Structure formats: structure tokens, C-alpha cells
């Protein structure tokens, strides 16, 4: 009996199956659709709207006005105070500037028929200020030495000092001053006894400053009316007292010795 050759049948199956698979794939490939792509661009955002301001209440507005007015007042007071301090400082500098020089000094003529003492003018001081108390204007007396040898003439000095904090006007002319020398109760010499003439000299003395007037005493005696006296003060180590007077102010005593 002859064999049936099944090679053809076997060979046809793969072909059929292969064509069917191919058809199936193509059909499936034609039926599947890809989904449409969405647009990638983002929509523009709308600008955020600011919330509407709340209306300012009248009470809050009044408070702001009050605070602003107070601030302006404080600034005005500060400026005014600074101006006042600056004016005060400038006034103090101008007052002290005139008294920096040395006090004025004058030497009177030799004692004789008409002794006098006329102090020369010192650098001008500031104008007189309010509040000048006369009790703070003092007068002192001094001699250039505590003791003098035979033939030495004492130099008598009258000094007026302004102890006020403001300038003071003082008359330091010969019409107001006197150089007086005494010994115990004995009146030895006075510059007004034989004074030929007297003058007024009003000076403005700065605070803490002084004016001086010098008088060289010739060891002579005088009396009121300038009568002639031949007697002279004693010597031998006697002590004498010098007192200076300016108007109604009298200095403390200055004691010196004559040999």
C-alpha cells in the first residue's frame, strides 16, 4: 500500500495561517486610531484685581491731623530754642571779648599843689546789660611794696572790679576817686586836698574785669583847702594806712611801712 504524502498539507497550513495573521494585523492596524493631541499652550492668566480700599473714617483722619500738627509744633519749638541758644552764645562771646586786654593804668603827676590821678581808657567793653548790681562792683587798695626805704615813694593803686555777670558802667574819673593816707587818727594825705581840677570818666567794665588807677605819693602832708604845710610824715619804721575811695565805695585798708 502506498503512503500518503502529507507534506503538501503541512506546507499549506503555515501559509494559510501566515496570511491570516498578516491580514489580521493589517486590519487591526487600519482600525486603531491614535488619540488627538491636546494643545500644549497654557491660557493667559488674567491680572489679579486689587481689593478696593476701605474709606478712611473721620476719627482716624482727625487723629492723623492732630499728630501732624503736634510734630510741626515740636519742630518749631526745637528751631526756636536753637536760635535762642545761638543768640545767647554769640552775646556771651561778644561780652567776654572786650575784657581780654590788660586793665587800664594811669600814673598821676607828682604830689604837689594839685595832685590828681586820671586813669587812661582800657579796651572798650560790651554795652551795659540789665541786672548790673552796684554792690557787686568792689574797690580795693594796694601798694607796690609792703615797706619803703628812705627816699622811696610809695605807689598807691586803686582798683575797681565788676563782679557781675553782665557789663557795668562805672565812673572812674578823678571827680569820684580819692587816695587817702592816715596814721592812727592822724589824717596824713588826701589826693583831693590840692586837686586842681576833677573830671568824669565813665567806663564799661566787662564781667570779672577790673580798672586800675595809680598814684605815686611823695611822702608829703596835705590838708583840706591845700594850705601850706612844712611838716612831713614821720619815718623810723612807722606804719601807715592807705584807703581808696570811688564815689560812695571805700576799699579795705592797705598797710605799709616807711623807713
Amino acid at each position: 500500500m502506498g503512503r500518503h504524502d502529507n507534506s503538501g498539507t503541512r506546507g499549506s497550513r503555515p501559509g494559510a495561517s501566515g496570511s491570516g495573521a498578516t491580514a489580521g494585523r493589517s486590519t487591526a492596524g487600519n482600525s486603531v486610531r491614535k488619540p488627538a493631541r491636546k494643545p500644549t499652550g497654557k491660557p493667559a492668566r488674567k491680572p489679579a484685581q486689587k481689593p478696593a480700599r476701605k474709606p478712611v473714617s473721620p476719627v482716624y483722619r482727625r487723629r492723623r491731623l492732630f499728630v501732624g500738627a503736634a510734630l510741626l509744633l515740636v519742630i518749631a519749638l526745637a528751631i526756636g530754642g536753637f536760635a535762642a541758644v545761638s543768640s545767647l552764645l554769640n552775646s556771651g562771646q561778644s561780652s567776654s571779648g572786650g575784657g581780654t586786654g590788660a586793665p587800664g593804668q594811669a600814673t598821676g603827676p607828682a604830689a604837689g599843689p594839685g595832685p590828681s590821678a586820671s586813669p587812661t581808657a582800657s579796651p572798650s567793653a560790651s554795652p551795659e546789660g540789665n541786672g548790673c548790681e552796684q554792690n557787686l562792683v568792689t574797690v580795693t587798695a594796694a601798694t607796690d611794696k609792703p615797706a619803703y626805704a628812705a627816699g622811696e615813694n610809695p605807689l598807691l593803686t586803686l582798683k575797681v572790679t565788676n563782679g557781675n555777670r553782665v557789663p557795668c558802667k562805672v565812673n572812674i574819673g578823678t571827680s569820684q576817686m580819692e587816695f587817702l593816707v592816715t596814721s592812727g587818727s592822724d589824717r596824713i594825705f588826701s589826693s583831693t586836698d590840692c586837686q586842681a581840677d576833677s573830671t568824669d570818666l565813665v567806663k564799661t567794665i566787662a564781667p570779672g574785669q577790673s580798672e586800675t588807677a595809680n598814684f605815686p605819693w611823695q611822702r608829703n602832708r596835705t590838708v583840706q583847702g591845700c594850705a601850706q604845710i612844712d611838716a612831713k610824715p614821720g619815718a623810723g619804721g612807722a606804719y601807715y594806712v592807705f584807703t581808696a575811695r570811688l564815689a560812695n565805695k571805700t576799699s579795705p585798708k592797705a598797710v605799709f611801712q616807711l623807713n
Side-chain angles (χ1 to χ4, degrees):
M1 292 179 62
R3 292 182 182 179
H4 291 285
D5 190 3
N6 293 331
S7 60
T9 305
R10 290 177 182 175
S12 61
R13 284 180 184 173
S17 61
S19 62
T22 304
R25 286 177 183 175
S26 61
T27 304
N30 294 333
S31 63
V32 177
R33 293 182 181 179
K34 295 181 179 181
R37 292 183 179 181
K38 295 181 180 181
T40 58
K42 295 182 180 180
R45 294 183 179 179
K46 295 182 181 181
Q49 295 182 356
K50 296 182 179 179
R53 292 184 178 180
K54 295 182 180 181
V56 181
S57 64
V59 175
Y60 183 70
R61 186 183 296 109
R62 285 196 295 270
R63 287 180 180 177
R64 288 196 300 179
L65 291 176
F66 176 77
V67 172
L71 182 59
L72 291 176
L73 179 60
V74 171
I75 294 174
L77 290 175
I79 295 174
F82 178 76
V85 172
S86 299
S87 176
L88 183 60
L89 289 177
N90 292 334
S91 175
Q93 291 175 357
S94 62
S95 296
S96 60
T100 55
Q105 293 185 352
T107 301
S116 62
S118 301
T120 57
S122 66
S124 59
S126 303
E128 180 181 7
N130 295 327
C132 178
E133 299 181 11
Q134 290 300 320
N135 61 331
L136 296 179
V137 178
T138 58
V139 177
T140 56
T143 58
D144 59 335
K145 289 183 179 182
Y148 299 89
E152 267 191 311
N153 293 331
L155 181 66
L156 311 179
T157 300
L158 179 154
K159 183 178 181 180
V160 54
T161 303
N162 178 16
N164 286 271
R165 293 186 178 182
V166 296
C168 290
K169 289 182 179 179
V170 182
N171 188 347
I172 56 175
T174 56
S175 62
Q176 305 296 316
M177 64 176 57
E178 179 184 15
F179 297 82
L180 179 65
V181 178
T182 59
S183 178
S185 59
D186 189 7
R187 183 179 183 272
I188 304 296
F189 170 83
S190 173
S191 61
T192 61
D193 287 343
C194 298
Q195 187 169 280
D197 56 0
S198 60
T199 58
D200 292 328
L201 180 61
V202 178
K203 296 293 296 293
T204 301
I205 305 177
Q209 298 300 309
S210 303
E211 291 287 343
T212 60
N214 298 325
F215 187 90
W217 180 42
Q218 302 296 317
R219 292 194 179 197
N220 61 316
R221 275 183 175 268
T222 61
V223 293
Q224 293 179 348
C226 199
Q228 185 70 28
I229 298 179
D230 295 331
K232 289 189 175 182
Y239 286 91
Y240 295 84
V241 175
F242 163 47
T243 305
R245 180 182 62 83
L246 185 67
N248 59 347
K249 296 179 181 296
T250 302
S251 72
K253 298 176 180 180
V255 180
F256 62 96
Q257 186 180 21
L258 293 181
N259 293 309

